[in-house]
């Protein structure tokens, strides 16, 4: 049987890795749905009704699945991490409760109107429902990220001993909730969600555009897929560069607040200056994968790049090494490789975005089969990048569950046995794999069914500007 600490950590990681897919899709779709609804109401072009109705189906399925998988995470705080809940419950419980009472209820209430009420309410109320659903989705992220960011940079609290147990008391809610990490996490996460959904939309649309324009297969509603592709490219060309720029600034903040995590991201063990940034790195042995040291890997590095990144412009800056910190170190190899792959994907998304926009500007968007293939293969990679980002965030914080306050080894339920933790881990793995499989099956069915058309639409007139114009409304 596994050690209860290890089994609990694996179980929580597994459930979060699966769960995060659904809120990312929901949060990423929210601004698109607001735009589609506004255009549907203001325009006589039936394609916007198709866009709204098609992507609303995927949003609704993602919302429902995310609700189920998210509730389980909150129970895990009691079953597997009771010591953490006892210590930090006063501060941690507030944001989670507000997420349910404020954000979830707002989203769930107006989702019924948004999904079923188009012909039953006025245009103004219907548009309001789309905004409320989107706002609720993003408010959920606010409260969840407040809780998580506090664990990264805890503020506004004091620790007192009660019956031999350390208890965190909230003394300054503003400082705690608006801690230094929160704005960085919120902007990075929400932009990543929109970027991920843009990649999904572009990949799916590219598949149908490829079949129609390259393979010459007749595709119903091809205008719908062409419009989807263009809207996705516009979103991608905005979010992909923004994510890279913001990520650079975010890394500097990590250096200031969690230098041990940054050292793990760069695999720096000894304090040094003029540290290279390995953009491309390859392990030279199995040991490099498991016990990584930056100086011993084969890679292409920018001299002084890591120092420049850490300091904001000084390639001679000194970076504190992992050996300077007491206690267990984070699993460096996991953090280092996850960070490298995430950054590589980020630059690929930028290339993909400008590639697509350039071909669009040239009037060759539908004929570039290589671009279509690249978009199709990249459709799930936004979600992969989000997963890797969270791995860097959470694994890089180890051995702390609350930075500088409580270690992960002290947060697990004291009465939990290895047999119990292993049994629930196996059970959760099976259930979540089934949920993910079912979700994928339903989404594929929706995509194959395509958008509604004909008698299903309430908008009967369709207008389409000349194809020579470089516009979303082409």
């Amino acid at each position: 049987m596994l050690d209860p600490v290890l089994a609990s950590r694996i179980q929580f990681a597994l459930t979060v890795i699966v769960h995060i897919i659904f809120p990312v899709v929901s949060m990423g779709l929210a601004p698109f749905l607001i735009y589609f609804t506004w255009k549907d109401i203001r325009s006589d072009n039936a394609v916007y009704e198709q866009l709204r109705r098609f992507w609303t189906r995927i949003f609704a399925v993602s919302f429902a699945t995310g609700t189920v998988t998210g509730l389980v995470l909150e129970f895990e705080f009691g079953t597997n991490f009771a010591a953490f809940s006892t210590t930090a419950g006063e501060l941690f419980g507030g944001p989670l409760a507000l997420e349910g009472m404020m954000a979830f209820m707002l989203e769930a209430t107006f989702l019924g109107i948004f999904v079923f009420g188009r012909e039953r309410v006025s245009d103004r109320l219907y548009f309001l429902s789309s905004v409320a659903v989107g706002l609720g989705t993003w408010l959920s992220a606010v409260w969840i990220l407040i809780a998580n960011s506090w664990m990264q940079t805890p503020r506004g609290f004091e620790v007192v001993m009660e019956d031999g147990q350390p208890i965190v008391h909230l003394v300054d809610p503003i400082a705690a909730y608006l801690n230094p990490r929160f704005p960085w996490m919120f902007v990075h996460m929400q932009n990543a969600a929109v970027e991920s959904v843009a990649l999904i939309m572009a990949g799916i649309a590219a598949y149908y555009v490829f079949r129609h324009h390259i393979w010459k297969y007749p595709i119903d509603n091809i205008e719908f897929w062409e419009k989807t592709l263009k809207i996705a490219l516009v979103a991608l060309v905005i979010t992909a560069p923004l994510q890279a720029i913001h990520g650079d600034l975010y890394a500097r903040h990590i250096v200031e607040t969690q230098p041990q995590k940054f050292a793990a991201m760069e695999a720096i063990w000894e304090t040094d200056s003029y540290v290279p940034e390995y953009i491309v790195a390859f392990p030279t042995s199995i040991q490099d994968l498991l016990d990584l040291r930056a100086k011993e890997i084969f890679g292409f590095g920018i001299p002084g790049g890591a120092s420049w990144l850490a300091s904001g412009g000084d390639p001679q800056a000194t970076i504190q090494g992992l050996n300077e910190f007491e206690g267990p170190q984070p699993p460096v190899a996991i953090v280092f490789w996850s960070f490298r792959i995430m950054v590589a994907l980020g630059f690929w998304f930028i290339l993909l975005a400008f590639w697509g926009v350039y071909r669009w500007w040239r009037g060759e968007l539908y004929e570039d089969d290589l671009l279509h293939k690249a978009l199709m293969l990249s459709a799930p990679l936004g979600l992969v990048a989000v997963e890797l980002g969270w791995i860097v965030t959470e694994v890089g914080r180890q051995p702390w569950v609350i930075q500088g306050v409580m270690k992960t080894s002290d947060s697990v339920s004291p009465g939990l046995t290895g047999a119990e933790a292993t049994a629930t881990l196996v059970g959760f793995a099976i259930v979540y794999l089934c949920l993910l499989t079912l979700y994928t099956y339903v989404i594929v069915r929706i995509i194959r069914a395509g958008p509604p058309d004909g008698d299903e639409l309430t908008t009967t007139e369709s207008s389409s500007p000349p194809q020579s114009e470089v516009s979303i409304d082409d």
Side-chain angles (χ1 to χ4, degrees), residues 98-339:
L98 286 168
E99 190 268 338
M101 293 186 296
M102 179 189 297
F104 176 78
M105 293 306 297
L106 175 66
E107 185 180 8
T109 299
F110 281 92
L111 184 61
I113 298 174
F114 185 62
V115 174
F116 303 109
R118 180 65 185 99
E119 300 178 11
R120 296 175 173 84
V121 299
S122 66
D123 288 349
R124 182 175 298 179
L125 179 57
Y126 189 75
F127 179 71
L128 176 63
S129 73
S130 72
V131 174
V133 168
L135 179 63
T137 304
W138 280 45
L139 275 177
S140 289
V142 167
W143 294 111
I144 296 300
L145 292 178
I146 281 175
N148 187 276
S149 62
W150 179 83
M151 295 165 66
Q152 309 282 339
T153 54
R155 298 289 191 276
F157 72 100
E158 64 179 6
V159 179
V160 298
M161 299 299 295
E162 296 183 4
D163 298 326
Q165 174 79 33
I167 303 296
V168 170
H169 282 307
L170 180 63
V171 296
D172 187 347
I174 301 299
Y177 290 173
L178 299 181
N179 62 79
R181 180 60 53 83
F182 168 69
W184 294 100
M185 293 188 77
F186 181 77
V187 173
H188 209 64
M189 182 63 202
Q190 301 311 100
N191 190 73
V194 177
E195 183 181 16
S196 299
V197 167
L199 285 163
I200 292 171
M201 294 173 68
I204 296 170
Y207 169 75
Y208 287 101
V209 170
F210 178 82
R211 293 188 65 190
H212 183 79
H213 289 279
I214 305 300
W215 284 357
K216 306 302 180 182
Y217 287 173
I219 300 294
D220 294 335
N221 299 300
I222 188 60
E223 297 84 1
F224 168 87
W225 297 113
E226 292 170 351
K227 181 82 71 176
T228 299
L229 178 58
K230 291 180 177 180
I231 291 173
L233 285 175
V234 170
L236 194 58
V237 82
I238 296 171
T239 56
L242 177 60
Q243 194 73 351
I245 295 169
H246 185 266
D248 172 67
L249 300 172
Y250 191 178
R252 218 157 296 152
H253 168 74
I254 291 174
V255 174
E256 297 171 357
T257 55
Q258 292 178 303
Q260 186 178 20
K261 178 187 288 186
F262 186 81
M265 289 160 57
E266 300 294 341
I268 301 169
W269 291 85
E270 303 294 338
T271 299
D272 202 357
S273 59
Y274 198 61
V275 179
E277 175 68 30
Y278 287 97
I279 301 298
V280 180
F282 304 96
T284 56
S285 66
I286 297 298
Q287 183 177 358
D288 285 345
L289 285 172
L290 305 176
D291 184 18
L292 186 68
R293 294 175 183 270
K295 291 185 176 181
E296 298 175 2
I297 64 173
F298 174 76
F300 301 98
I302 301 174
S307 294
W308 184 89
L309 178 65
S311 64
D314 181 9
Q316 299 292 338
T318 299
I319 297 179
Q320 198 172 6
L322 289 165
N323 289 335
E324 298 289 327
F325 301 94
E326 297 182 2
Q329 303 296 346
V332 175
I334 296 175
V335 179
F336 179 87
W337 294 117
S338 296
F339 180 66

Side-chain angles (χ1 to χ4, degrees), residues 57-107:
R57 294 171 186 172
I58 293 178
F59 177 93
V61 174
S62 302
F63 171 78
T65 313
T67 301
V68 173
T69 56
L71 286 173
V72 174
L73 294 176
E74 298 192 13
F75 283 106
E76 286 183 276
F77 288 121
T79 58
N80 292 76
F81 296 94
F84 166 78
S85 299
T86 301
T87 296
E90 179 177 317
L91 197 145
F92 200 76
L96 295 185
L98 286 168
E99 190 268 338
M101 293 186 296
M102 179 189 297
F104 176 78
M105 293 306 297
L106 175 66
E107 185 180 8

